[in-house]
Amino acid sequence: MSLTHLQSFVAVAEEGHVGRAARRLHLSQPPLSRHILSLEDELGTPLFERTPRGMRLLPAGTAFLTHARRILAEVDAAVLTVRKAAADVPETN
């Protein structure tokens, strides 16, 4: 499971539509759809109901969304912490 798959999942869950999520992520629809299918395959369950009007989270998707958001927030926090630490370290030359 990659961060890209998690970002793709969250975007589709929030947008409710692959096309809008693809625009948000600056991707085309086919790779985004592959990310979602790959994630569902890895988890062993569908996360979305595909409808003519878009994508609707299934109970498994709703349960996973909280964790995916938390993981992405932790990664963002880690990046900020590392950048802050790097900026605070005086160079030794």
Side-chain angles (χ1 to χ4, degrees), residues 33-76:
S33 293
R34 284 193 298 272
H35 294 168
I36 298 302
L37 289 171
S38 176
L39 183 60
E40 289 175 324
D41 186 54
E42 185 171 347
L43 292 171
T45 190
L47 300 171
F48 293 97
E49 175 186 356
R50 277 81 171 160
T51 71
R53 295 196 171 264
M55 307 274 275
R56 186 175 323 136
L57 281 172
L58 292 169
T62 300
F64 188 63
L65 182 58
T66 301
H67 295 283
R69 284 178 173 151
R70 188 176 310 132
I71 291 164
L72 294 172
E74 284 295 324
V75 169
D76 288 344

Side-chain angles (χ1 to χ4, degrees), residues 8-43:
S8 297
F9 167 73
V10 170
V12 172
E14 290 176 353
E15 298 291 338
H17 191 273
V18 174
R20 287 191 297 268
R23 282 190 296 279
R24 172 174 153 181
L25 296 171
H26 307 289
L27 293 173
S28 61
Q29 290 183 23
L32 180 56
S33 293
R34 284 193 298 272
H35 294 168
I36 298 302
L37 289 171
S38 176
L39 183 60
E40 289 175 324
D41 186 54
E42 185 171 347
L43 292 171

